[in-house]
Amino acid sequence: MRKIFFESLIHGTLTEAPPSPDQAALTELGASLSRVVRRRIGRSLAIRQIDAGSCNGCELEIHALNNAFYDVERFGLRFVASPRHADVLLVTGPVTKNMREALERTYRATPDPKWVVAVGDCAVDGGVFAGSYACVGAVSAVVPVDLHIRGCPPSPLQLLKGLLALLEPGAAVEKA
Amino acid sequence: MPALIDMIDQGRKIPHHRPWARAVVHSDVWRFAASQLAETHWLLLGLWGDTHAVHMALLEEGSTGIGVISLECADGRFPSVGQTHPPALRLERTIRDLFGLEPTAGPDPRPWLDHGWWGLRYPLGARVGHPIEGYSYDFLPSEGESLHQIAVGPVHAGIIEPGHFRFTANGETVVRLEERLGYVHKGIEGLMAGADLTMAARLAGRTSGDSTVAYGIAFARAAEAALDIAPPPRAVWLRALMAEIERLANHVGDIGAICNDAAFALMHAHCAILRERVLRAANECFGHRLMRDRALPGGVATDLEASGIACLRALVVEFRRRFPALVDLYDNTASLQDRTVGTGVLQPTLARQYACGGYVGRASGRNFDARRMPGYPPYDSLRFEVPLLEAGDVNARVWVRIREVEQSLSLIEQILNQLPGGPICADVARSGAGPREGVALVEGFRGDILIWLRLGGDGKVERCHLRDPSWFQWPLLEAAVEGNIVADFPLCNKSFNCSYSGHDL
């Protein structure tokens, strides 16, 4: 174990330079973030991920955000275990009917102000599962969505660019 | 004891079912097959519904025979297999939920995938029914003093898929775990019906995202079997290359994640780096980090350039340089071993009874790997070992995966050395009329994936069944957790790493 620790000291960091926030995401988020809200959340966002029917591909790439290359925590973005601790809900999947209630209840359990980010093509409009008897379709049909990050699945870099837009001063929609 | 092939000969053989035979049988033959399963003379590979029939795929290990038997359900009923063979239970409940076909004397009348939210019943059946009124779901009872229940999910604490776990515990010790799944049921088999091959392949590749390559290959092989066409040799080898890259990425990522569930974050951090390197190489070689939609009926979508070959060789070198130190770290950290050794033991008899595939089966002494048996090209031209252990605990599952990482590295090298040239995709324009059926068994990282396909006269999918290896692993997690402490559940669960999406469909 010591050898691995020492090697890590010598070899320096793998973490890559931060990407610039996604322009489209900034546009979608649109209106400016109020001073009050910015003061409240600072540059720190607690994220609760909800799989609402994903094939688990999106989850793999969301996981990758935590690895040494992307190191999402350096931006103040942190995954939390409970919606009660969350500022952001990261929702994946075509919202299966069997998950609809759980998604609604998780949304209600999240304190204001909160933002919902729909991740992956399925979360945007149901993707290849649109029209199934078992799927609602877009996440926005169940809970209000502030930002969409497309991709099947979106790469960690795409995810990071989208999430950084939330932290950009003057980016996020004002929430009561 | 008659051979599987003799039993299939008793039935009415279905033409154009490849590569293994399918026969429509009488109910007494169906019952006989169920009794053979109960005595584990044969193993259950799959049990699925159709509009007016049920199908069962069987494996006879000694003779390496595989066959499919079908029973027509004129009165909407079929003799329960789960009555004598528990691995069939959830499959039968699913057949009832989706098709409205009733397993006669089935021991569990509860729905499985149907949670009462679809607005209808029997979505794939001959007659769609009205939704169940006053839907309720009773968990199995546990009786005794000082028992308490812990309800977990469907929304879990980590970045994982949804499912519900109902623990009954006595103090810290789990007395019973009962799973309730189906939350991510997307209706994939419903969407398959009427889809063309392109769309159907996309759906198959989104059944379980972590196995998207394996599903792509399984669907392609089933379609090619049905159409009786062969993909070009280069495509066959590129598929195997992608399959081994997928196996490598999942194994190394999960080895780290299992250690992380024992609070050993160092291993997780280093394994995550290796996993990221694999995904980046995949992206460079095939244009997608998970290599989704790259294996297609007829061949593959992306060729491997010379730069890709160099990239993969560099990846293998990097792995060989880094991975052994991590294996030593795992092996020499007593506090970690203390958590994994003897935890979540799956008995070999259960692994065999459930025909449990993948590292879960192989860590409990079940020597089965679809790359070997029934086998498919190019693995017959490649040298590899199938690691096997008997202990059946979390540690054994980790070690099987460590050994499989080493095997996959060797396979990647062998494939790069022997990769044939030529085209990468054959024409899938279909030949001949009438319905055609194909079946494929492909080894994903998690275990054997079965895909059964019936194409109509118009070349579109009439019925496609996708059986994830998790179907025969999820029930065994319940058994493996019994008697462990609640705090070890994440460790046990991660060491199985069953797919929710692949199971729920």
Side-chain angles (χ1 to χ4, degrees), chain B residues 167 257-258 261 339 485-495:
Chain B
F167 297 93
I258 292 166
D261 276 344
R339 296 291 304 279
I485 60 171
V486 176
D488 274 343
F489 174 71
L491 193 56
C492 298
N493 189 25
K494 192 68 206 175
S495 76

Side-chain angles (χ1 to χ4, degrees), chain B residues 280-299:
Chain B
R280 288 181 174 202
N283 191 43
E284 199 176 322
C285 296
F286 298 103
H288 192 283
R289 286 163 55 89
L290 304 180
M291 298 167 287
R292 179 164 272 171
D293 300 329
R294 294 310 186 262
L296 304 169

